[in-house]
Amino acid sequence: MPGTAEFDLVFRARRVVGPRGTAPAAVAVRDERIAAVEAFDAPLPAARTVELADDEVLLPGLVDTHVHVNDPGRSEWEGFGTATRAAAAGGITTLVDMPLNSLPPTTDTPALAVKQDAARDQVHIDVGFWGGAIRGNLAELRGLHEAGVFGFKCFLLHSGVDEFPPLDAAELDAALREVARYDALMIVHAEDSEAIEHAPTAHGEDYRDFLGSRPRGAENLAIAHVLEAARRTGARVHILHLSSSDALPMIASARADGVRVTVETCPHYLSFTAEEIPDGATQFKCCPPIREAANRELLWRGLADGTIDCVVSDHSPCTPELKRLDIGDFGVAWGGVSSLQLGLPAVWTQARLRGYELADVVRWMADRPAALAGLRHKGRIEVGADADLCVFAPDEAFVVDVADLHHRNPVSPYHGRALSGAVRQTWLRGAPIVGPEVTDPVARGALLSRTQTR
């Protein structure tokens, strides 16, 4: 009919971060997907047009493949509603939930169904699930894979919760041979249990004692073992939350030899340094730990040269009581950093200081995590992708106040830290979920499956 709008929505921005860099563009949306990316002033008739301010940049929605939601079972630590609201406020439009810290852990198909039931009708963004590979559940992995998990997580040492036991060397080999049969991905918490058992015990308020209890050698040894196991079995492996820069050369060497390995690091390893962590500040405790300033700079170099593929949060929250802020004892406090809402400004703040562009940050935090999980329609502004978009003001500065964060418990090492870059709007499949017009957020997210990712 004459006068009928061709598109549901058009964004016009002087800066749009697309696969070929940053440029002015008009981005048109139809039926929840990007239908056209044209010149800024191209005539694109739409039911609605959103014009970004001169200080705003249009980014693809971020993809965070490492989030501990803890729901059901430990929802007082975090829940799907609070986690996904925090993610949306941080420009994240897709997350993949970890299989542990919830009860039951996602180690068989009935547990996956329980997790999906807990998430359904609560999620403000799109959510997928990892399965777990633990001692004794080898026969469950095929069923979880066919049920749509995006891969399997395992530990090589105690996970922190008894219901998610680690794999020893023989069990890891067996699990890798199993998942290689259907080319599933194994994601690994790589710290060597024996090395840590022989390290000094963490205790007290001094962060240096805690750092000594999780030495680089334990991480390096475990990563070397994972790389050799992947070489033997032909399986795809992913190294979680890399904190030791010592491991970068062997990862690069293994990849050059054809080992199918990818690697992530986290905003806290790129932002903080061991030297600056005050006594008793257990909100900084995570495993593996935040290391020294020189190590941080080598992690940035690993990102720049591509040895490290992506940056994801490892959001691992708990109640304030479990962080033991009352006594500041690193030996007894729960290990995990809460940062889901802050990853984009945290990484951008550090990246710009080192001369990187927003296009680099988008590659690390949207495009590559989407590729890791096989999310073909996520993490990019291009025709055919989901219309998941973030309106970002890169020059707007703010000071973090935990009272303003949406995750369940007001604990974060970023409290009081000045950051650059504010998320002003987030759109999920063409619908606003964060922004001035969203006064009563609706849980419009979808549950994703590897077999049907939309």
Side-chain angles (χ1 to χ4, degrees):
M1 294 176 58
T4 299
E6 183 178 354
F7 300 104
D8 303 322
L9 178 65
V10 169
F11 293 85
R12 296 187 188 274
R14 295 291 179 186
R15 288 179 288 173
V16 175
V17 179
R20 288 170 292 281
T22 304
V27 178
V29 177
R30 185 194 302 118
D31 297 332
E32 301 189 347
R33 288 200 169 154
I34 296 172
V37 180
E38 302 289 346
F40 173 80
D41 55 359
L44 297 172
R48 179 181 180 187
T49 298
V50 176
E51 295 187 4
L52 272 62
D54 288 344
D55 68 334
E56 295 175 337
V57 185
L58 189 66
L59 311 179
L62 304 187
V63 176
D64 192 337
T65 55
H66 195 151
V67 180
H68 294 269
V69 178
N70 309 328
D71 193 4
R74 292 189 175 98
S75 55
E76 70 275 13
W77 296 15
E78 189 67 278
F80 280 104
T82 51
T84 55
R85 281 197 67 192
I92 297 164
T93 50
T94 305
L95 68 79
V96 188
D97 174 60
M98 284 290 164
L100 72 157
N101 300 345
S102 56
L103 293 169
T106 314
T107 53
D108 55 33
T109 52
L112 175 63
V114 170
K115 177 72 72 82
Q116 291 168 329
D117 287 343
R120 193 169 286 112
D121 301 324
Q122 283 201 70
V123 294
H124 292 264
I125 64 171
D126 290 351
V127 173
F129 305 94
W130 297 108
I134 63 171
R135 183 172 301 138
N137 84 325
L138 188 66
E140 305 291 343
L141 302 185
R142 168 73 84 162
L144 281 165
H145 176 74
E146 292 176 350
V149 298
F150 285 86
F152 300 95
K153 181 178 186 178
C154 70
F155 278 75
L156 304 185
L157 78 171
H158 194 280
S159 68
V161 290
D162 291 338
E163 67 273 6
F164 201 94
L167 301 179
D168 64 22
E171 291 163 339
L172 176 64
D173 266 27
L176 289 179
R177 292 186 191 284
E178 168 65 17
V179 301
R181 293 169 55 202
Y182 30 91
D183 200 33
L185 178 66
M186 182 69 77
I187 64 176
V188 186
H189 182 124
E191 290 181 285
D192 183 78
S193 60
E194 186 173 353
I196 286 178
E197 285 173 8
H198 287 87
T201 302
H203 63 280
E205 298 183 349
D206 192 332
Y207 183 77
R208 291 171 297 181
D209 288 341
F210 170 64
L211 189 61
S213 75
R214 312 292 290 218
R216 293 190 198 197
E219 197 174 354
N220 302 337
L221 185 60
I223 290 171
H225 178 77
V226 171
L227 294 174
E228 290 311 303
R231 190 191 306 272
R232 285 194 301 272
T233 62
R236 291 192 297 136
V237 296
H238 177 74
I239 305 299
L240 296 166
H241 44 50
L242 180 71
S243 81
S244 172
S245 62
D246 296 348
L248 292 170
M250 69 171 128
I251 292 167
S253 177
R255 191 176 284 160
D257 288 345
V259 175
R260 296 193 295 166
V261 57
T262 50
V263 184
E264 68 183 45
T265 193
C266 305
H268 40 280
Y269 301 130
L270 300 171
S271 297
F272 302 116
T273 64
E275 293 90 339
E276 68 182 323
I277 296 176
D279 287 350
T282 54
Q283 62 269 33
F284 288 86
K285 179 181 176 180
C286 56
C287 300
I290 296 163
R291 303 193 188 277
E292 301 84 357
N295 180 83
R296 177 183 65 176
E297 298 314 307
L298 290 171
L299 292 177
W300 276 104
R301 191 177 302 173
L303 268 175
D305 67 22
T307 306
I308 300 174
D309 298 272
C310 55
V311 182
V312 292
S313 69
D314 189 11
H315 178 69
S316 185
C318 66
T319 62
E321 292 77 17
L322 288 173
K323 270 298 185 186
R324 299 310 311 264
L325 298 168
D326 55 335
I327 59 173
D329 189 331
F330 284 98
V332 298
W334 175 260
V337 167
S338 296
S339 64
L340 188 56
Q341 190 169 332
L342 300 169
L344 176 56
V347 173
W348 171 236
T349 298
Q350 296 295 322
R352 71 189 306 182
L353 292 175
R354 293 165 176 81
Y356 299 108
E357 304 291 337
L358 267 175
D360 298 312
V361 174
V362 165
R363 184 171 66 256
W364 299 327
M365 302 187 76
D367 180 70
R368 286 183 177 173
L372 171 74
L375 291 159
R376 296 178 293 108
H377 301 297
K378 300 293 188 182
R380 295 175 298 282
I381 296 179
E382 64 182 17
V383 173
D386 284 356
D388 298 345
L389 299 164
C390 170
V391 177
F392 187 61
D395 298 322
E396 181 177 332
F398 67 101
V399 175
V400 177
D401 184 341
V402 290
D404 296 332
L405 302 179
H406 292 291
H407 66 251
R408 178 148 292 165
N409 293 293
V411 178
S412 175
Y414 290 93
H415 179 65
R417 194 171 182 91
L419 298 178
S420 296
V423 174
R424 292 183 179 168
Q425 299 178 50
T426 306
W427 296 70
L428 179 68
R429 289 178 272 109
I433 57 172
V434 170
E437 66 187 88
V438 184
T439 57
D440 187 17
V442 175
R444 63 174 72 247
L447 302 188
L448 302 178
S449 164
R450 178 191 52 79
T451 58
Q452 187 179 9
T453 59
R454 282 185 37 77

